[in-house]
Amino acid sequence: IVDYIRKEYNLPTKSVKLSVTKVRGAASGGTLASLLEIIEDKDASGLGSLSDQNQLVPEDVVSKIAPAKISMPSVHYDHDFKLWQAYFVMSSSNEKMVKRSHGLQMEVDGVGYGPQFTYSESMSAPGFFSAAIASLGISLGGAALAIGPIRRFLQNHVLPAPGTGPSDEEIAKSYFTIKVVGESALPENVPGDASSEAAEGLTTPVRVVAVVKGGDPGYGETCRYLAEGALCLVQNEDRIRNENKITGGVLTPAFAFGQILVDRLHAKNVDLTVSKL
């Protein structure tokens, strides 16, 4: 979305929000074990730093980015997604990754995704009550897991162990749809005469939607994305170094690979579209 707005209108992005609108799948034992380790680390370090959405932004630019907290369990209706929104369990880590990508880009050009850029994630539900139950359930579950004895009991006797996961049949039946809506800054808020001819005369922000669909989100699509990311390093190193000006570091796929990875995913028939709303 950020690239689309920049290429088509030469405008920075003001905000992006993501919603998991459809999903069916089962978490692996390894994923759950990682989640429990994060909760255990929180017990030792406190919630303060973990709730900071800018925790992973490079230190030399973090002061230029507005302070923000990760999304917390809540319920609201979203008119773009046309569904009630509940808390998405992966938002706390995903939001930090997006903000790191923003910060890494800001190190390069001083702007990043946009001076006012904000990002959030949620999960869609068919109605208010299902959204409320989902958010409440996650809140109560998180509170229970924060208690050491309860966490260890569930880990040892209830939750699937690391190395275990859904069957092949369950994976084959799994799917997901993610929608992402982005909004540009207005040309009048862009320093200088930077916006393109396509942005002239705009009185409202450009609004863009991306849709990603696929099979099992963990064992199917994530594996494909990881494999194609690795192949970017093997087969597209020249493009990464020359087009993206990457030399090394602790990077994110969005910053290091960008459109190169998107092109590879499209070549493998990944269902990913971006269009103006």
Side-chain angles (χ1 to χ4, degrees):
I1 282 181
V2 171
D3 282 347
Y4 182 94
I5 292 174
R6 184 184 296 120
K7 290 175 180 177
E8 295 295 323
Y9 300 93
N10 201 26
L11 291 171
T13 299
K14 182 179 180 181
S15 65
V16 174
K17 57 184 178 182
L18 174 151
S19 180
V20 181
T21 57
K22 295 179 182 178
V23 65
R24 176 177 176 173
S28 70
T31 299
L32 294 173
S34 298
L35 177 62
L36 293 177
E37 285 188 14
I38 292 172
I39 294 173
E40 190 170 357
D41 289 342
K42 182 204 74 175
D43 291 345
S45 62
L47 184 60
S49 61
L50 291 177
S51 65
D52 181 8
Q53 198 183 69
N54 298 333
Q55 184 183 20
L56 303 181
V57 172
E59 291 182 0
D60 56 338
V61 296
V62 69
S63 62
K64 301 176 183 179
I65 297 176
K69 298 293 185 181
I70 58 172
S71 297
M72 301 301 288
S74 63
V75 177
H76 67 277
Y77 185 81
D78 190 282
H79 292 279
D80 291 315
F81 302 127
K82 297 181 174 59
L83 288 166
W84 285 91
Q85 300 300 301
Y87 178 73
F88 177 43
V89 70
M90 295 300 297
S91 62
S92 60
S93 56
N94 292 346
E95 289 173 0
K96 293 180 182 183
M97 289 298 106
V98 171
K99 279 300 192 70
R100 179 165 180 82
S101 298
H102 170 41
L104 289 167
Q105 188 61 45
M106 184 173 285
E107 283 188 309
V108 174
D109 60 18
V111 177
Y113 292 170
Q116 302 170 302
F117 179 75
T118 63
Y119 181 73
S120 63
E121 293 187 353
S122 58
M123 182 173 67
S124 292
F128 169 79
F129 289 108
S130 57
I133 290 171
S135 291
L136 180 61
I138 291 172
S139 298
L140 294 176
L145 290 173
I147 301 172
I150 294 177
R151 179 175 64 247
R152 287 187 287 273
F153 174 82
L154 293 174
Q155 191 169 15
N156 294 330
H157 301 287
V158 178
L159 299 176
T164 64
S167 66
D168 291 343
E169 291 77 11
E170 290 173 318
I171 292 174
K173 295 177 182 178
S174 299
Y175 57 84
F176 76 92
T177 298
I178 290 174
K179 292 185 179 180
V180 191
V181 174
E183 184 174 290
S184 76
L186 282 171
E188 63 193 45
N189 297 325
V190 178
D193 188 21
S195 58
S196 68
E197 292 183 5
E200 290 183 5
L202 286 176
T203 57
T204 58
V206 176
R207 305 184 76 247
V208 176
V209 60
V211 181
V212 187
K213 299 179 181 179
D216 184 86
Y219 288 88
E221 301 305 311
T222 299
C223 292
R224 278 213 286 176
Y225 301 169
L226 285 171
E228 292 302 326
L231 288 171
C232 279
L233 294 172
V234 175
Q235 299 178 350
N236 302 115
E237 181 180 353
D238 288 343
R239 286 189 64 191
I240 292 171
R241 292 187 182 279
N242 297 328
E243 294 179 23
N244 295 359
K245 310 300 181 184
I246 299 300
T247 57
V250 183
L251 311 177
T252 64
F255 178 75
F257 306 143
Q259 189 61 41
I260 299 170
L261 178 57
V262 173
D263 291 343
R264 293 193 67 96
L265 294 176
H266 277 148
K268 297 299 181 181
N269 299 316
V270 169
D271 192 346
L272 190 164
T273 60
V274 183
S275 59
K276 185 179 177 183
L277 268 176

